[in-house]
Each structure stands twice: as structure tokens, then as C-alpha cells.
Amino acid sequence: MSKDNNTRAIFATKFGAIATTVGSAVGLGNIWRFPYEAGVHGGGAFMICYIMFLFLLGVPVLCAEFCMGRSSRCNVFGAYNRLSDEKGWKITGLIGIIASLMILSFYSVVAGWTVEYCFTSLTGQLNFHDRTKGHSQFVELTTGDRPIIWTVIFLICNFVILNRGVTKGIERASNILMPILFLLLIAFCINSFTLPGCKDGIKFLFKPDFTKIEPSVLLGAMGQAFFSLSLGLGCMMTYASYFSKSTKLGNMALTIASLDLLVAVLAGIVIFPAVFSFGLSPEAGPTLVFEVLPFIFNQLPAGVIWATLFFLLLFMASLTSTVSMSEISITYLCEEKNMSRKKATIISSLIALIGGILCTLSFGSLSDFKICGLTIFNLFDYISSNIFLPIGGMICSIFVGWKMKKDLIMKEFTNDGSMKFYTLTLLIFFLKYLCPIAIFIIFLNSIGIL
Ligand code: PHE
């Protein structure tokens, strides 16, 4: 990171910019959320919708966020404010800030589980030998009020990194840890091909049964595409405000989406063959990965070491994502409310702490407290991923497509005219019409209005 006009930091290297942005995108969304969503929504049918939404809606909206972020060089609220004279747009920024805090709350619970699994595996308490124990062990470790401690530990780590300034620690850490996580996933994938249920698992994930494509599958796949690319909140907008003038926005968007998809597919290849080999149900929901992984480690020599390493890396991948979520509210408080970074970090972390505790209690004292049939944990996930993210993405695409000055968009995608960007007309067409209309229709359809 270096300073631009002595005011705003920018990523110093191309690799640093990619690693940090991929760090935001790749996280629990790929390794925990993608397999369980795919499992619940019929495997192949979900996969095909997910890939379609990732590239047809996700990439254009990612381009739009990048464009707004780098041209305004400020937080999400300020970006709408600076790029338009009309007051109403900046409400989208506020929605993004609220949604980011909701995601941070439930995300920290799952990230807390990774810390707990890492710790229990390191101390030899995780049972890999009894295959029937996957579920009961998970329940034992994560239910009740005690796991609050792990959520809190995770949020403290998040706070420490944010307080030190994002890039020094986290940029360096993600440069090293993301490639290791990637290699580890590849090693586990190779192991998957030796499992007896490999064929069934791969078929489940890649062979679409088109009769299973229902509105809920479409909404789930769209929500997952937005969640996984960290879209719709202004997170990518905030990171793009740190991009250097020479970053090629179009290439960057495609690179991030492809790497993000690759990690999700690898995670699917790790999980589903094991699910079918050990006679588990792919529809287990949010607990899926944590119940299946111990079986996989059980297969491997020195399982304890693999397990500890895997949960450690998952914890790091979560941290690079939560840091990016927290940046949304912190940059807002610093730039719009003139707070010091320290104060802003404390406030945002305290809100996340309260939300995180409430979400953890969804598996303990508050497990019977339901709103519209959902626990607080599930409600936060549902509202933020399936409602706020798509709406935020839709408004961002309408804003760039219809409101932002064309020469400004041109300037961003051609880096001030120094390169060609042949697909600009297509991109603007997508942002003007396809993305907003598609998002809106899927949204209305899924809430039963269409
Ligand atoms: N994309 C992250 C993941 O896949 C989650 C995330 C969502 C991060 C929204 C930032 C903003 O884990």
C-alpha cells in the first residue's frame, strides 16, 4: 500500500490488489456456504444456475462496483453522493452498511467454529476415528451458549487486524495463505477421487436435473453468487477505491470471479464424494461441511495435522473476508462522520460483537426464538444474502448503467484512454437492462409476487 495525494491508501502491487480482493471473495462462502446451498438445492441444478449468475450478473455488477469505487475513491455512502447530485442514491450505501454488519454477525459464528475445530483438533480432542460421531460431535461443540467464546475470539482477531491497518498484516498474510489453502483443497480433491462414493458425489454436483430448477433454487443461486463475490454491499467498491490507476478493472473482475468459482468447485469436489461415501445426506444445511470433514481427515494419514492445518487456513480465509466486510462501516464512519480509525473500528466491532452473540445464541438459549420461522442466525443470513445483496447489486447496476456519466465509465475501463475495452457497450447494456430486470424478476418470483 502507498499513499495517493497523501490522503487515501492504494494497493502498491498488482499481486497485492488481486490477493486482497480474492481474499475478500474467497472465504466461508466458498467452502462452507456453497456446498450446503448446493446440497439443499439439488446439486447440479444449483451449480448451473450459480455459474450462470456468477458470470451474467455477478461480473457486470462487480465491474460496476469497481468503477464506482475507483472513480470516487471513497466509502460506499460517499461514492453515491459524489457521483450523483440526487440525494436518494446514498440510501443504498446505508443498506450496504447495515447488511455488512448482519453478515459479519452470522459469519463470525461460523468462523468461530473454525477456530474451535482448529483448537480441538490441535489438542487431540477431535474424534476422527468413529464415523458415526461427525454429527454428534458437531452438536456438542457448537450448541449451547459456550461457543460464544469462539465467536468472541474470532472477533477479537478481526479487531486486532483492523486496528493495525488493513493491508500490512492482512495483505501480506493473504499473499501467502490463500495459495496454501488452494493447494490444500487440491490435495483433498485428489483424495476424493479415491473414495467409493466419488462417482455419485461428482454426478450430484455436476449433472443438472432441470426439473429441480425452482424459484427458490434461482434465488439461492443468485444470493450465493452475490455473497461469494462480496457484492451488493459496497465491499468491492471500497476495495476498488484502493486500486491503482493502472489496475485493469475488466480483467480484475473476470479474474476474481474465476478464482472464486474455482475454489467453490474444489470445495464441492471435496465434500460431495465424501457425503455419498459415508452415507450422509447432502441436505444437512449449514452443518454439512463440519460434519463431513472429520470423515475425510479420518481417511488420511496424520489426519490431525491435516485437520488443524485446514481449519487454520479456513479461519484465515474467513478473516480476510470479515476484514473486508468491516471496512465498509469503518470507512463510512471515518470519512462521513469524521471519526478516527480507532474509534470507528471499536464501534463497528462492538456492533458485530452484539450481533455475533445473538447469532451464536441461535444454537443455544435462543434456539426457539424464531422470526418468520427462522432463528436469528438464519434470518440474518437470509435477509442479507437473498434480499439486501441482490437489491444492493441491482441499484448499483442501475446507477452505473443509467446515472453515471459515460465518459467517466469509459475513463475507468480504458485507464484514461491508455488501453482498449471492447466490451464496454455490452457491459453497459447488461447494467442498464439485463442485470436489474433479471434480479428484480427472480426476486419477485421468489417472494411469491410473480
Ligand atoms: N465473499 C465472502 C465469502 O465468500 C463473504 C463476504 C460477503 C465478504 C460480503 C464480504 C462481503 O466468504
Side-chain angles (χ1 to χ4, degrees):
M1 262 324 229
S2 60
K3 292 274 180 177
D4 186 18
N5 302 333
N6 288 333
T7 49
R8 255 189 107 74
I10 54 168
F11 292 123
T13 65
K14 194 176 154 196
F15 186 76
I18 295 182
T20 316
T21 318
V22 171
S24 165
V26 170
L28 293 171
N30 309 61
I31 295 163
W32 159 73
R33 201 173 185 281
F34 171 78
Y36 96 66
E37 284 280 335
V40 170
H41 291 120
F46 179 86
M47 180 79 164
I48 205 151
C49 299
Y50 172 66
I51 297 180
M52 198 175 77
F53 289 140
L54 197 70
F55 287 99
L56 290 182
L57 304 182
V59 171
V61 175
L62 189 54
C63 286
E65 284 209 16
F66 281 171
C67 177
M68 284 183 71
R70 192 173 61 178
S71 64
S72 67
R73 291 231 185 267
C74 61
N75 69 90
V76 53
F77 183 86
Y80 280 104
N81 218 4
R82 263 196 208 181
L83 296 168
S84 158
D85 303 330
E86 297 159 3
K87 293 255 178 293
W89 294 101
K90 57 188 180 198
I91 294 173
T92 321
L94 285 183
I95 296 180
I97 294 163
I98 295 169
S100 70
L101 291 167
M102 284 175 107
I103 295 185
L104 190 55
S105 304
F106 76 80
Y107 204 93
S108 324
V109 177
V110 184
W113 297 344
T114 67
V115 185
E116 183 173 20
Y117 265 72
C118 184
F119 180 77
T120 33
S121 137
L122 188 68
T123 52
Q125 291 161 273
L126 209 56
N127 185 343
F128 296 114
H129 309 298
D130 183 352
R131 287 181 178 185
T132 57
K133 282 266 170 75
H135 179 70
S136 54
Q137 181 161 272
F138 176 80
V139 171
E140 208 176 286
L141 288 174
T142 58
T143 44
D145 299 342
R146 193 190 42 88
I148 286 180
I149 180 106
W150 301 107
T151 310
V152 173
I153 290 178
F154 178 80
L155 283 169
I156 291 175
C157 297
N158 192 48
F159 175 79
V160 169
I161 291 180
L162 285 165
N163 205 28
R164 282 179 145 200
V166 185
T167 45
K168 263 190 211 130
I170 206 73
E171 195 179 342
R172 243 174 259 161
S174 30
N175 288 356
I176 303 167
L177 292 162
M178 296 316 273
I180 301 181
L181 179 68
F182 193 67
L183 290 179
L184 206 63
L185 275 177
I186 292 183
F188 286 166
C189 270
I190 296 172
N191 176 58
S192 271
F193 288 103
T194 65
L195 296 176
C198 172
K199 227 170 146 194
D200 291 335
I202 299 287
K203 209 162 118 196
F204 176 79
L205 187 60
F206 292 104
K207 195 158 179 249
D209 172 357
F210 290 101
T211 59
K212 288 207 173 136
I213 302 184
E214 298 166 357
S216 68
V217 176
L218 291 175
L219 184 71
M222 184 169 74
Q224 176 60 22
F226 277 81
F227 185 89
S228 195
L229 286 180
S230 313
L231 285 181
L233 307 174
C235 181
M236 289 305 189
M237 207 182 282
T238 310
Y239 268 15
S241 70
Y242 304 134
F243 285 172
S244 80
K245 281 191 195 126
S246 61
T247 303
K248 294 174 180 161
L249 299 187
N251 291 0
M252 184 71 143
L254 269 180
T255 311
I256 305 291
S258 311
L259 287 173
D260 194 54
L261 173 65
L262 187 63
V263 176
V265 169
L266 290 178
I269 297 178
V270 171
I271 300 298
F272 289 108
V275 166
F276 285 90
S277 302
F278 305 124
L280 304 167
S281 161
E283 289 171 24
T287 62
L288 182 74
V289 170
F290 289 90
E291 289 178 19
V292 173
L293 284 172
F295 289 118
I296 300 173
F297 301 132
N298 180 34
Q299 284 273 312
L300 302 166
V304 174
I305 297 175
W306 289 104
T308 312
L309 190 63
F310 185 80
F311 288 119
L312 183 70
L313 290 171
L314 202 51
F315 158 70
M316 289 306 301
S318 315
L319 212 47
T320 52
S321 295
T322 50
V323 161
S324 72
M325 280 172 219
S326 315
E327 271 294 287
I328 303 174
S329 44
I330 294 174
T331 47
Y332 165 75
L333 291 173
C334 290
E335 293 172 6
E336 304 297 322
K337 303 284 168 204
N338 287 327
M339 276 183 199
S340 66
R341 185 164 174 104
K342 193 168 191 129
K343 195 168 169 198
T345 310
I346 292 175
I347 292 182
S348 130
S349 303
L350 280 179
I351 299 175
L353 187 68
I354 297 170
I357 290 177
L358 287 176
C359 288
T360 318
L361 292 178
S362 295
F363 296 88
S365 310
L366 293 181
S367 59
D368 292 329
F369 178 77
K370 292 191 176 154
I371 301 169
C372 304
L374 299 172
T375 59
I376 302 179
F377 178 96
N378 289 333
L379 188 77
F380 275 22
D381 183 359
Y382 187 86
I383 296 186
S384 53
S385 314
N386 291 351
I387 299 179
F388 284 165
L389 298 196
I391 288 184
M394 182 176 84
I395 298 179
C396 175
S397 89
I398 293 176
F399 186 83
V400 176
W402 293 92
K403 286 285 158 189
M404 223 174 132
K405 294 195 182 73
K406 294 292 155 295
D407 46 350
L408 204 57
I409 304 178
M410 186 73 164
K411 190 170 155 241
E412 286 306 326
F413 283 97
T414 58
N415 288 355
D416 247 339
S418 66
M419 57 174 268
K420 295 255 179 293
F421 186 73
Y422 295 106
T423 40
L424 192 70
T425 319
L426 188 68
L427 175 67
I428 293 188
F429 171 80
F430 267 65
L431 293 176
K432 265 189 160 165
Y433 305 103
L434 193 98
C435 297
I437 295 172
I439 297 172
F440 196 58
I441 291 178
I442 295 169
F443 185 67
L444 290 186
N445 197 353
S446 65
I447 53 173
I449 292 182
L450 271 187

